Amino acid sequence: MIDSTLITKPQYVAHSMDKLSDIISKMKEYKMWTVPVVKEKKLLGLISYKDLLSRRVSLETKAINLMSPSVTVQVDEDINRLIARFYTTKARVIPVVNEKKEFLGLITRESLLSYLLKADEIPENKNAREYMSSPATTIEENDSIARARWLMIRDNISRLPVTKEYKLTGIVSARDIVDSLYSASGRKRESIMKDEERIMAMPVKEIMKYPVITANGKEPLTEVASKLLKFRISGMPVMEGDRLSGVISGLDIIKAVAERMQLSMPIEAKIPQELKSNLDFKANIDDILERYLSKIERLTDVINFRVSFKKEMRSKEGNKQLYTATVRVTTKIGDYVAKDTDWEPVVALKNAVEKIEERILRKIRKIEESNKKGIKAEEA
């Protein structure tokens, strides 16, 4: 059973026909990163700054056409399962629903971190250096906002340390960019387009925040968590003296807890022995599996994620091996299997999991279209 202290009631809940202009206004007013979308108490999806960063839409767009599907948990969920869901999906918030799919509240990374800190579940003998992402993706002060947006979308991150001559001078987030983009008040499309081009060409230093809250590489994870909660931030740069060495987020701390509790992702991988010994290959495979499991779990519950490789043939010269990667994913909306063959096993795996993701997306779109038709019929 989920502890009631973990569940927060959002100050604002969007409804299916609410306009983006009103939603963004409320997100700014209440400093919300993610907004739930409901229809007659039932959760339909979520709208986040990360969603708005990846595509530019009209301020008249309705919530039903903006929202993304969301992983959910029920009130009787086990705490270990909850931690694993945050870890595998990389979610910022997870909605809580009852057996009727009615929306009850949100569990945020912050509320989970606070709970874990009070329960002494965050390992005290681990420090920021061990769990930070390194090297950090950074951007120069005079680089354009367009480049910052591109880097965030490319690396699936929500904030970038800003530097000048390799010195940390600020930080820019997806929220900063989206707020700038949608601050345009022009009613004509031509005016909005010109405003967007102007904003995208501006240097990052125009919207970055400073001074920057940072952690030291030797700082214990418990202190890092306390600092994140105190300043109400999701992550921060990690410094070694005056050198930027990485970035650590609440998710990294949740990962440390998951490891301590020996919680594992639902992945089974059969890898040929000659590939297991290749450390670069293993790192690349782990990265692909974790990334795509996260993406798929945002769409639907993943029960099992199995990967296997089969040797096919060698090149005529005999120095290259052809591999077939097979991916089998069992989800609550169906079972999916995809294969791909390539001389590079990493490429074969990436192509196979992308096929799975596309098939699941097609199924989700069909479900969403069916829901939208039902909602529009009710609205009429």
Side-chain angles (χ1 to χ4, degrees):
M1 188 79 173
I2 292 176
D3 191 306
S4 60
T5 61
L6 279 166
I7 305 173
T8 62
K9 298 287 186 181
Q11 292 177 284
Y12 169 66
V13 174
H15 294 87
S16 59
M17 301 306 287
D18 286 356
K19 294 180 181 179
L20 176 58
S21 55
D22 297 326
I23 294 169
I24 288 182
S25 175
K26 293 296 183 181
M27 291 174 82
K28 288 181 181 179
E29 180 182 351
Y30 296 118
K31 296 182 180 179
M32 296 176 68
W33 184 268
T34 305
V35 169
V37 181
V38 300
K39 169 69 176 180
E40 295 178 353
K41 296 184 179 181
K42 291 190 176 181
L43 180 74
L44 299 180
L46 299 175
I47 295 174
S48 71
Y49 272 105
K50 190 171 284 189
D51 293 326
L52 298 174
L53 183 72
S54 60
R55 53 178 176 154
R56 182 74 160 97
V57 295
S58 166
L59 288 169
E60 297 297 306
T61 305
K62 302 291 193 298
I64 189 70
N65 298 316
L66 279 172
M67 65 184 192
S68 298
S70 170
V71 58
T72 61
V73 295
Q74 294 196 354
V75 288
D76 59 354
E77 192 80 71
D78 176 77
I79 184 64
N80 288 0
R81 174 63 176 158
L82 176 64
I83 294 169
R85 294 301 284 280
F86 268 97
Y87 173 38
T88 58
T89 64
K90 297 180 173 26
R92 196 176 184 107
V93 304
I94 296 182
V96 182
V97 297
N98 60 21
E99 64 279 357
K100 296 179 181 179
K101 301 297 182 184
E102 292 174 334
F103 176 67
L104 301 178
L106 297 172
I107 298 178
T108 66
R109 284 189 198 171
E110 291 72 24
S111 64
L112 180 57
L113 272 184
S114 179
Y115 173 86
L116 295 172
L117 197 58
K118 290 175 183 176
D120 293 324
E121 293 291 354
I122 299 175
E124 295 182 359
N125 60 337
K126 301 293 183 180
N127 58 39
R129 187 183 299 131
E130 295 175 76
Y131 284 90
M132 68 183 183
S133 298
S134 181
T137 302
T138 63
I139 191 163
E140 283 285 309
E141 272 191 359
N142 291 313
D143 284 348
S144 68
I145 293 175
R147 176 167 172 76
R149 176 177 179 269
W150 176 78
L151 285 171
M152 288 181 188
I153 294 172
R154 185 197 70 178
D155 293 350
N156 191 31
I157 54 179
S158 57
R159 61 186 62 244
L160 286 168
V162 183
T163 59
K164 181 179 181 181
E165 296 177 355
Y166 304 103
K167 299 291 184 182
L168 180 68
T169 58
I171 195 158
V172 64
S173 71
R175 189 202 302 262
D176 299 325
I177 296 175
V178 171
D179 285 349
S180 297
L181 273 176
Y182 286 97
S183 64
S185 58
R187 294 298 176 189
K188 294 182 178 179
R189 179 172 175 78
E190 294 79 5
S191 174
I192 293 174
M193 292 291 285
K194 287 180 181 178
D195 277 338
E196 182 174 338
E197 289 175 5
R198 176 182 58 80
I199 291 167
M200 287 290 97
M202 285 168 52
V204 168
K205 64 183 178 184
E206 295 292 330
I207 64 168
M208 72 181 188
K209 299 292 190 297
Y210 60 89
V212 186
I213 298 163
T214 64
N216 181 276
K218 296 180 180 179
E219 207 164 317
L221 290 183
T222 49
E223 291 183 18
V224 174
S226 296
K227 193 177 289 187
L228 292 176
L229 293 170
K230 177 182 177 180
F231 293 103
R232 301 181 68 183
I233 53 177
S234 62
M236 54 188 167
V238 179
M239 308 297 291
E240 300 285 357
D242 61 354
R243 182 177 65 85
L244 173 64
S245 60
V247 173
I248 191 164
S249 70
L251 188 63
D252 296 316
I253 298 174
I254 292 170
K255 178 181 179 180
V257 174
E259 288 181 0
R260 178 181 179 179
M261 293 181 169
Q262 297 183 324
L263 304 178
S264 59
M265 295 185 286
I267 293 177
E268 296 177 27
K270 294 182 179 180
I271 302 173
Q273 191 59 46
E274 67 271 18
L275 295 178
K276 283 184 179 179
S277 59
N278 185 325
L279 296 181
D280 288 339
F281 169 81
K282 188 177 184 306
N284 287 331
I285 290 296
D286 288 346
D287 178 65
I288 290 172
L289 294 179
E290 186 173 332
R291 182 156 22 105
Y292 279 92
L293 174 62
S294 169
K295 293 172 75 173
I296 293 171
E297 276 223 320
R298 284 177 176 272
L299 302 173
T300 182
D301 289 343
V302 176
I303 300 166
N304 212 301
F305 194 112
R306 297 178 181 176
V307 175
S308 63
F309 292 90
K310 179 183 177 183
K311 292 188 284 187
E312 299 292 349
M313 59 176 286
R314 284 194 172 275
S315 61
K316 290 181 179 180
E317 292 77 14
N319 59 352
K320 290 191 72 176
Q321 176 72 56
L322 191 68
Y323 289 93
T324 293
T326 302
V327 179
R328 293 180 173 84
V329 181
T330 302
T331 76
K332 73 174 184 179
I333 61 171
D335 298 332
Y336 301 86
V337 180
K339 296 182 180 182
D340 195 81
T341 303
D342 199 278
W343 296 107
E344 294 292 339
V346 171
V347 173
L349 175 62
K350 186 173 183 294
N351 291 340
V353 291
E354 284 179 349
K355 291 176 185 177
I356 295 281
E357 181 190 17
E358 182 55 37
R359 290 173 191 171
I360 292 174
L361 279 170
R362 284 201 296 267
K363 182 68 174 287
I364 293 292
R365 289 190 194 108
K366 287 181 180 179
I367 295 172
E368 288 179 347
E369 285 301 319
S370 177
N371 290 339
K372 286 178 184 178
K373 287 178 182 178
I375 290 170
K376 287 179 180 177
E378 290 177 17
E379 294 290 340

